[in-house]
Amino acid sequence: MLFFTQCFGAVLDLIHLRFQHYKAKRVFSAAGQLVCVVNPTHSLKYAPTRCAAAQASAEQGILPPCHHHEAVHDPQLVPCTCPLFSCPWEGHLEVVVSHLRQTHRINILQGAEIVFLATDMHLPAPTDWIIMHSCLGHQFLLVLRKQEKYEGHPQFFATMMLIGTPTQANNFTYRLELNRNQRRLKWEATPRSILECVDSVISDGDCLVLNTSLAQLFSDNGSLAIGIAITTSKAHSSEAEM
């Protein structure tokens, strides 16, 4: 009976996964688009990243404490950028992708256009849905966050971050698209560099922002499908042609 129960549970999980893929493909009918089902990362106690803590201290005019061992800190080292984790890791940009994949088990998809299917939208804030997107020779980090900017009023924030420098990020344009029940909503912008911190992007509101009612309008049984497309910016294309 135990063996049967475990096998039956695995079959149900497989059927549920296939059903989620079917729903996403039904919403985004473009042939050949990759679909990734993204489960939420939920934390009962939100642990702000070090870049967010440093930003808050700077806004309050409080300088971080100076320690002797920090005097030789390499300015090229990047702190872990994975939201909802208080991770002490630091490393160069070249190894950020491997850290996110190996330590935090973040999936990565390849292709110019993909579908990001976030499940369990009803979970309380703060909750994150995270995936890496590889295309045009670079890696991007898509973060969808459910967070309360005002108590009792959760909102959804979606942004694309380039795992690279701000100069490299200016060479690209990303588009997020919601499409359901004959309604379409698009957000198009230049991605921000991962060096700028996800928390600061969300606090600035420089991303796709959805209130709860709008998110429910585009969701399907608690799942939200977001079409993602990344292209080179027009300015960068013009320079390349010259």
Side-chain angles (χ1 to χ4, degrees):
M1 287 296 295
L2 179 61
F3 175 77
F4 175 78
T5 303
Q6 291 177 342
C7 291
F8 185 69
V11 172
L12 286 180
D13 290 341
L14 180 60
I15 293 175
H16 177 71
L17 183 64
R18 293 294 298 272
F19 179 66
Q20 295 283 12
H21 275 81
Y22 168 75
K23 289 196 300 181
K25 289 182 179 179
R26 184 184 61 189
V27 175
F28 292 87
S29 59
Q33 274 190 314
L34 297 175
V35 178
C36 184
V37 178
V38 184
N39 294 320
T41 301
H42 182 65
S43 175
L44 295 178
K45 183 177 180 181
Y46 188 82
T49 57
R50 281 175 296 169
C51 59
Q55 180 187 17
S57 298
E59 291 175 353
Q60 297 174 6
I62 303 175
L63 295 178
C66 180
H67 301 286
H68 292 291
H69 68 276
E70 292 180 351
V72 293
H73 176 73
D74 187 347
Q76 295 182 345
L77 292 180
V78 180
C80 178
T81 55
C82 190
L84 287 182
F85 287 98
S86 181
C87 179
W89 180 89
E90 283 186 331
H92 293 275
L93 277 174
E94 294 78 8
V95 294
V96 169
V97 173
S98 61
H99 169 74
L100 293 176
R101 296 196 67 182
Q102 296 173 10
T103 303
H104 300 297
R105 306 299 185 199
I106 297 180
N107 294 326
I108 184 169
L109 282 184
Q110 296 185 359
E113 296 186 9
I114 65 174
V115 175
F116 177 97
L117 184 64
T119 65
D120 300 323
M121 302 292 294
H122 62 277
L123 288 177
T127 304
D128 279 2
W129 294 259
I130 312 167
I131 193 176
M132 282 191 291
H133 184 185
S134 177
C135 71
L136 301 175
H138 289 78
Q139 285 74 40
F140 301 82
L141 186 71
L142 177 69
V143 177
L144 172 65
R145 174 175 298 175
K146 183 177 183 181
Q147 180 175 310
E148 290 186 358
K149 292 200 76 171
Y150 307 100
E151 186 175 356
H153 298 279
Q155 293 178 302
F156 293 88
F157 305 85
T159 185
M160 182 74 76
M161 311 287 290
L162 173 71
I163 302 179
T165 65
T167 301
Q168 292 174 322
N170 289 332
N171 295 329
F172 299 97
T173 299
Y174 75 94
R175 185 181 73 247
L176 305 179
E177 179 178 336
L178 304 176
N179 190 347
R180 185 172 182 268
N181 291 337
Q182 298 181 344
R183 298 178 178 87
R184 179 174 297 179
L185 179 64
K186 291 183 179 181
W187 167 268
E188 187 171 290
T190 300
R192 302 279 285 271
S193 167
I194 204 73
L195 300 176
E196 300 180 55
C197 187
V198 175
D199 295 328
S200 62
V201 175
I202 291 178
S203 62
D204 293 342
D206 186 16
C207 56
L208 174 64
V209 182
L210 304 172
N211 57 31
T212 303
S213 59
L214 191 58
Q216 290 176 349
L217 189 64
F218 285 98
S219 65
D220 184 10
N221 291 327
S223 297
L224 187 67
I226 305 177
I228 308 169
I230 299 178
T231 58
T232 55
S233 64
K234 295 180 180 179
H236 178 66
S237 301
S238 300
E239 293 176 359
E241 292 176 358
M242 293 177 63

